[in-house]
Structure formats: structure tokens, C-alpha cells
Amino acid sequence: MKNIRNFCIIAHIDHGKSTLADRLLQETKTISDRELKEQTLDDMDLERERGITIKSHAIQMQYNHEGTDYTLNLIDTPGHVDFSYEVSRSIAACEGALLIVDATQGIEAQTISNLYLALEHDLEIIPVLNKMDLPSASPEEVSDQIIELIGCEQEDIIPASGKTGMGVQDVLAAIIKKIPAPKGDPEAPLQALIFDSVFNSFRGIIAYIRIKNGTLKKGQKVKFVNTGRTYDADEIGVLGLGMKETKEIGCGNVGYIISGIKEAKEVKVGDTVTLVENPCSAAIKGFEDVKPMVFAGIYPVDTDEYEELRFCLEKLQLNDASLTFEPESSAALGFGFRCGFLGMLHMEIIQERLEREHNMTVITTVPNVSYIATMNDGEVRTVNNPSEMPSPNKLDFIEEPYIKAQIITKSEFTGSVMNLCIDKRGELTNQVYLTSDRVELSFEMPLSEIVFDFYDKLKSISRGYASFDYYPIGYKKSDLIKMDMLLNGDQVDALSALIHRDRAFELGKKICTKLRELIPRQQFEIAIQASIGAKIIARETVKALRKDVTAKCYGGDISRKRKLLEKQKEGKKRMRQVGRVEIPQEAFLTVLKLD
Ligand code: GDP
Ligand code: MG
């Protein structure tokens, strides 16, 4: 046990965590040069395409340092603010963290927030100054920032490059020297923390565990403390590039367990595994449940696939405990689920994973944050859905969630960042100069104003030189109303949105215009209206189609005609018939795409 080191890699997005992980895997010969790809640990298709880490990835390395063999368990983590929950779970399985800072960028918002997460769990921090190969690196300035931030010495900071391999041996030496070996009693009753899990269609559920006390042997009868259920440890092992079966997993180590579990709800991330004979006296303190920030409806395009969708969401939840869902129904879309997400990127990722990993075609509705309504009779309700908005005569007041936003940018962009935040109903609460030309601005803002397109806007006004982090600070009263959309006089519930009253007219008009562009012309005229209660606040019209599009291909050109029909069919895939009107998927998300 004294030769085990458990550590994670944390940093702001794109500072080079996954690339440095590649170099460590290479240096320790965990993967051969042939197996090595860029960002090897990002093994989900989605991660490779987008070039970002979405899930934490654990891998075990063997390394001989000054004549002694060490087992190093590395966990690579995502950097995007939507996935900080993944980071906090990884941290719970480690004693140390490599804090990577891009020497060309300096400290950014998630550098700070992830560092704080690591410090809360008493992890030993090893600062690494990465991308030293780049001519634009400014090591002195960024080292100063790091020293200021974590209070370390200049010589604690390791200059490195994930590209050239510079500093990689120093990083390995620091891991061995500075990160404490895991504590724990190998003779005590088994106590292992489930820090992640995945569903495998052949093997059932695979739980990733960190052993805090005791030893786990293949074939032992185990019990999951919180659910109270018992299983056989059919297969156990450690995580190399794939799973490597072993006879036992020792105290302090990280590994996996497969016990024939098929039901997603039986495995709770954060649960404790112990032995049926000689169980531990208490569960390990698990993880706080995360609270979703954004809610939206997810509906199967094919209404027959409702049960299938439930099954897929359960499997995804297993691999992503931050996803929540409960059944809901819509007059327009039928049966589906109200899902809770940590942010918009998370929502997009879930939708894509449903499609790629589970072959589901789904429609996602207008997202909103979670509001609290207090009724005239004193009753307090949560409103996660426009349809749950109480009628105005019963409502006393409504509150919306606020966040504290921390924005780090170059000082030349201070003015534009402030304008953006004020436009988003933000209030400046603090302004600190980190260096002569870098400033940290703090705002209190409504969550609803930042979850949708705030980050994109921030990046564009600062030409990429702004990073952003936020955390919830409670609720404030708000003048919120429900805006409905009508198509030919029929209200389409899935297009309703909860918005601030001051925005209603402007938004109503924009949404009508956008819908007019998105809804294809059909055999009849379509009136698009926005209303608040009975009052119509905006209107647009989609003119009727004059003739069938295929009529143009008169006579002989059959193949062209067929192509055109196929193209139409293609376009229909994500259409929904609402009353007589066909609505494309994009229409349900229009509210997000207004400028
Ligand atoms: P992560 O988001 O922190 O995991 O960052 P990645 O490892 O995915 O790297 C982000 C980008 O920076 C990729 O395009 C890498 O090729 C690049 N990169 C990472 N490390 C270095 C480095 O040391 N030098 C240079 N020049 N580029 C790097
Ligand atoms: Mg990464």
C-alpha cells in the first residue's frame, strides 16, 4: 500500500490535461506507441469529435522509480463548468492532484474552482506549468499567478509540455515524492467507495471502486451498504487501457467490480461496498446529490418508444448521476420525460448520447431553470415546467435562482463584459486586478440569463480572452410570466416559455419571426401568435404552399423526383404533427437561438 499513489489531473478546459495524461501513459509504458492516439483516455466518440473530456477516466500505471515499483492510479477529469460534478467525484478517490496551468493562458476560472474542490478534500497539489514548448508561453508571469493562488514555492512548479514530453519524468517523481500513500487498514472489514459506474450490454453494470479499508477478493459475497442488496463479486480487476482481471484488489487501490447487476437503480454512485460476512460498521460519506440547473422535456419522435426511452435514460443515469428525469406529458408531443441537466452543454451531450449510444431519435423542448412559486394561500411550489406555472390570480409571488459569476478577462475587455452582464440583469459586486492586465469581475445574476447563450456571447465579445465560473447563491423575487405560442389558434404547450416580463414583447416578436422561418410552408396558411394569457403580443404568418414541390419535375425525370421525395422524408424525421401543422425539432429550441 505504501507504493500506491492515487491522483487526478485537474485544470481549466484545454490547458492540456488529457494530453499530459497521454505522456504519462507513454512514459510508464502503460500503452504502447502503437495503441497511443491523441487524448487516448477520451474514448467516447463524442469526446473525440468535440475534443473535450466529458467523463472522468481512471487508468492504472506501473512505474519503477529509483529501484522501487509503484502503482499509480490516474484519473483524468473534464474541465467544463457543467461537469464539475465529475471532478468532485474523482477527487474523492484520490490523495493528490496535478493542477495544470497553460503557460500561454495563465490562471482561468475553472483553474480556481477545481483547485478549491481539491483543497476541500485535502488533496496534495502539484502545480504543473504546461505548454512550455510554445513561444507565447510566459512562465514568469504565470508562475507568479500560481504562487499567489496556492501559496507554493517557485521550485514546486514543474515546467512541462504535453507536446514534447518535457518535464514528464519530474511530474512522475513529484507524484511519488509528494502525494501521500493511501491510508487505510488492510485487515479491517472491507469498505470501498463506488465513484463511477457504466452499463455494458454484455456484462451488465460495472462499478468503479476505491478501496478505503480491507481487501476485496474474487468470488466474495459483497453488500452495497445504502441499497442493502447483496451480490457475488463475479469479476474484479484493475483499470488498464481496458479492464484487467485480478484475484484481489488491495487496500488503497482503485479497480472495478462486476457482479451481474442489470438494473441501473441498484447501483448508486457514492455507495459503499462491503462484505456480507464481516461488514464495515459505517458507510463512507458519499457524494452530495447534485441539483440540476436546467430542465427540458425529452420526447421520443416515435411515440411507441416511450418505454424504450425510459430504459435508455436509466442507463445513462448510471453513468451520469447528475442527470434526473421524471415522466411528463404534453398535448403536442405525447408522453416523455422532464429532464434536469447541469447546463446547456450537458443537455446537448445527453441528447447526443441518447442518439449515438442508444439509437433514440428525440425531441428536446425549450429549457428553463427551476422557479419557486408562493401561492396566495401560502403553499410553496417548485416550477420546473411552463405548464406548472400557477395562474396569476392564485399566485402571490415567484422567485428565480441567482448565481454568483466569476469572470476572468483581460482588462481591455472590462467594459464590454460589464455591458453584457448588465444587459443580462447582472449586478457587479466585485472587481479585482490579478495582474496589471488581468481582471476578475464578480456579478450576481439570474441563472436563467447565463445558462443559455451567455458563454458564447462572453467568448465573442472578449475574443476568447474570458473564462467564467458560477455557483448558486439562492433565490430572488422576479416578475416572471408564461408566454404561450399559438399555431392557427391552437396553443402548443411544448413551445411555451417562462420569461421575465420586461423581455416578453421583444422575445414574443423574435420567436414568431424565427418560427416563421423554421416552419416549412404547408398546404394551408399558418398563423403564428405569441400570447400572455388571452392577450396576443405578436403575430406572423407562414403562407400556404402554392403547389406540390414535386410538380416541378414533370414527366420523365423519375430519379430526380425520387430524390426530392427522399429529401423531404429526411427532413421529416424530426417533425412533429401538432394539430394539422408539422413542426420541425429546431422550432422547439427557437427561444435559444435568438440574438
Ligand atoms: P484538456 O481539455 O485539458 O484535456 O486539454 P487537451 O489535452 O485536450 O488539450 C487541448 C489542446 O491543447 C489540444 O489541441 C492539445 O493538442 C493542445 N496541447 C496540450 N498540451 C500541449 C502542450 O504542452 N503544448 C502544445 N503546444 N499544445 C498542447
Ligand atoms: Mg481533457
Side-chain angles (χ1 to χ4, degrees):
M1 203 164 77
K2 68 180 202 309
N3 294 345
I4 297 177
R5 299 291 180 273
N6 300 314
F7 68 100
C8 54
I9 310 187
I10 55 176
H12 191 74
I13 194 160
D14 274 350
H15 280 203
K17 293 176 291 296
S18 302
T19 308
L20 193 78
D22 286 347
R23 296 290 86 73
L24 295 175
L25 295 175
Q26 215 177 7
E27 185 68 29
T28 57
K29 305 196 173 53
T30 308
I31 49 176
S32 64
D33 291 345
R34 190 174 49 79
E35 288 169 317
L36 188 79
K37 308 178 261 197
E38 271 172 38
Q39 290 106 28
T40 314
L41 292 181
D42 290 344
D43 55 5
M44 266 161 64
D45 286 349
L46 210 56
E47 294 181 313
R48 302 207 65 83
E49 266 166 44
R50 293 186 175 224
I52 56 167
T53 307
I54 296 166
K55 286 288 301 170
S56 290
H57 298 270
I59 189 163
Q60 187 168 93
M61 308 180 285
Q62 305 298 334
Y63 186 61
N64 186 289
H65 181 70
E66 295 171 353
T68 311
D69 286 326
Y70 290 89
T71 296
L72 311 178
N73 291 305
L74 171 164
I75 307 182
D76 184 22
T77 66
H80 191 283
V81 53
D82 279 15
F83 305 121
S84 60
Y85 183 59
E86 284 285 319
V87 181
S88 66
R89 290 214 318 266
S90 312
I91 283 173
C94 298
E95 281 80 32
L98 300 181
L99 178 72
I100 312 251
V101 183
D102 182 333
T104 68
Q105 302 286 320
I107 305 268
E108 300 279 7
Q110 272 79 44
T111 318
I112 301 178
S113 57
N114 288 333
L115 170 70
Y116 287 168
L117 276 178
L119 290 176
E120 265 171 42
H121 287 81
D122 293 326
L123 298 201
E124 178 69 33
I125 309 291
I126 299 176
V128 177
L129 192 57
N130 193 33
K131 304 202 187 180
M132 286 294 288
D133 59 292
L134 291 174
S136 52
S138 13
E140 294 82 26
E141 190 189 327
V142 177
S143 295
D144 286 347
Q145 291 175 14
I146 296 175
I147 292 167
E148 170 90 27
L149 180 68
I150 59 182
C152 62
E153 303 292 326
Q154 175 71 46
E155 57 271 21
D156 295 329
I157 303 174
I158 305 173
S161 162
K163 193 132 235 159
T164 64
M166 164 188 179
V168 170
Q169 289 181 349
D170 300 334
V171 170
L172 285 165
I175 290 167
I176 287 164
K177 261 190 241 138
K178 294 197 175 159
I179 296 176
K183 294 189 188 71
D185 178 358
E187 306 305 324
L190 179 70
Q191 203 186 27
L193 173 73
I194 302 180
F195 66 91
D196 206 353
S197 59
V198 295
F199 183 86
N200 178 300
S201 25
F202 304 108
R203 314 294 314 270
I205 288 159
I206 304 166
Y208 297 152
I209 52 171
R210 156 72 203 267
I211 304 212
K212 299 276 184 182
N213 284 301
T215 306
L216 175 62
K217 297 198 175 83
K218 182 182 156 86
Q220 281 182 319
K221 276 213 174 328
V222 293
K223 180 169 138 187
F224 288 13
V225 176
N226 289 327
T227 62
R229 303 182 74 124
T230 60
Y231 309 93
D232 293 318
D234 295 333
E235 181 182 325
I236 59 172
V238 295
L239 301 154
L241 194 53
M243 294 184 289
K244 281 192 198 140
E245 205 175 336
T246 55
K247 291 222 165 52
E248 65 170 61
I249 313 175
C251 186
N253 217 339
V254 173
Y256 71 90
I257 170 169
I258 300 176
S259 36
I261 308 172
K262 297 272 185 242
E263 283 281 323
K265 34 180 181 303
E266 293 181 35
V267 180
K268 250 190 91 129
V269 167
D271 202 350
T272 304
V273 183
T274 190
L275 295 180
V276 173
E277 278 176 38
N278 193 17
C280 58
S281 55
I284 301 164
K285 190 168 152 274
F287 306 103
E288 279 171 37
D289 277 340
V290 269
K291 272 178 73 185
M293 297 277 190
V294 182
F295 293 83
I298 292 190
Y299 290 82
V301 164
D302 187 344
T303 44
D304 295 343
E305 290 185 338
Y306 172 74
E307 281 304 327
E308 178 73 17
L309 178 59
R310 177 202 299 278
F311 182 63
C312 298
L313 284 169
E314 278 173 4
K315 282 195 283 190
L316 272 182
Q317 195 175 42
L318 183 74
N319 191 228
D320 180 351
S322 54
L323 170 70
T324 65
F325 61 93
E326 53 184 50
E328 74 167 5
S329 65
S330 144
L333 299 175
F335 291 100
F337 297 92
R338 195 75 188 166
C339 300
F341 310 97
L342 298 178
M344 292 301 289
L345 178 62
H346 188 212
M347 175 172 124
E348 255 176 66
I349 299 287
I350 292 292
Q351 180 171 353
E352 282 207 44
R353 289 185 73 183
L354 279 172
E355 307 205 332
R356 285 162 184 241
E357 294 167 29
H358 300 281
N359 231 338
M360 295 289 309
T361 318
V362 295
I363 285 183
T364 311
T365 66
V366 188
N368 54 260
V369 300
S370 183
Y371 298 95
I372 298 177
T374 303
M375 315 296 283
N376 285 328
D377 63 7
E379 186 198 335
V380 177
R381 289 188 196 169
T382 310
V383 178
N384 286 342
N385 190 333
S387 69
E388 294 166 349
M389 181 76 173
S391 67
N393 57 348
K394 292 196 179 134
L395 181 69
D396 184 4
F397 61 91
I398 191 153
E399 292 163 296
E400 68 175 318
Y402 266 68
I403 52 112
K404 178 94 157 212
Q406 240 107 32
I407 299 168
I408 297 181
T409 189
K410 286 195 166 183
S411 35
E412 58 186 289
F413 300 114
T414 309
S416 345
V417 170
M418 282 202 195
N419 285 341
L420 172 67
C421 292
I422 288 162
D423 185 49
K424 298 281 187 187
R425 299 192 277 141
E427 222 176 274
L428 181 72
T429 55
N430 201 6
Q431 181 173 4
V432 183
Y433 278 85
L434 300 175
T435 58
S436 58
D437 75 334
R438 277 169 76 78
V439 58
E440 179 179 344
L441 302 165
S442 307
F443 290 89
E444 289 188 7
M445 292 167 86
L447 174 65
S448 65
E449 298 283 350
I450 62 124
V451 282
F452 302 131
D453 60 353
F454 180 78
Y455 194 44
D456 293 334
K457 289 224 163 93
L458 181 68
K459 272 195 292 198
S460 80
I461 59 161
S462 64
R463 281 187 262 120
Y465 287 109
S467 64
F468 160 67
D469 193 45
Y470 65 87
Y471 58 91
I473 52 168
Y475 284 75
K476 287 189 187 177
K477 273 193 195 174
S478 171
D479 193 1
L480 197 78
I481 50 158
K482 175 169 168 240
M483 184 169 71
D484 296 315
M485 301 304 299
L486 310 162
L487 294 181
N488 281 346
D490 294 329
Q491 187 197 322
V492 182
D493 57 359
L495 288 174
S496 296
L498 296 170
I499 51 181
H500 197 265
R501 190 183 302 273
D502 295 349
R503 293 275 155 90
F505 280 90
E506 180 201 339
L507 269 179
K509 208 167 151 44
K510 281 188 179 166
I511 294 174
C512 284
T513 314
K514 194 79 186 182
L515 283 177
R516 190 196 63 207
E517 289 163 17
L518 286 173
I519 296 180
R521 290 170 72 177
Q522 295 169 32
Q523 306 295 348
F524 44 87
E525 188 174 283
I526 305 164
I528 304 169
Q529 294 167 307
S531 76
I532 300 171
K535 189 169 154 206
I536 303 293
I537 58 167
R539 177 191 165 114
E540 290 281 345
T541 309
V542 179
K543 295 238 171 61
L545 210 54
R546 245 167 279 135
K547 33 179 145 35
D548 192 335
V549 278
T550 56
K552 269 195 236 131
C553 321
Y554 36 77
D557 196 350
I558 299 282
S559 73
R560 183 161 157 227
K561 189 163 173 173
R562 190 177 300 136
K563 254 191 210 145
L564 208 55
L565 282 172
E566 264 166 25
K567 219 171 174 180
Q568 272 188 324
K569 222 167 87 197
E570 210 35 30
K572 256 189 202 142
K573 262 206 234 140
R574 281 171 181 280
M575 293 278 207
R576 250 321 161 80
Q577 184 94 26
V578 176
R580 286 169 70 208
V581 184
E582 296 223 301
I583 309 178
Q585 151 80 48
E586 297 83 65
F588 294 101
L589 293 174
T590 29
V591 193
L592 304 180
K593 308 227 170 76
L594 309 169
D595 349 274

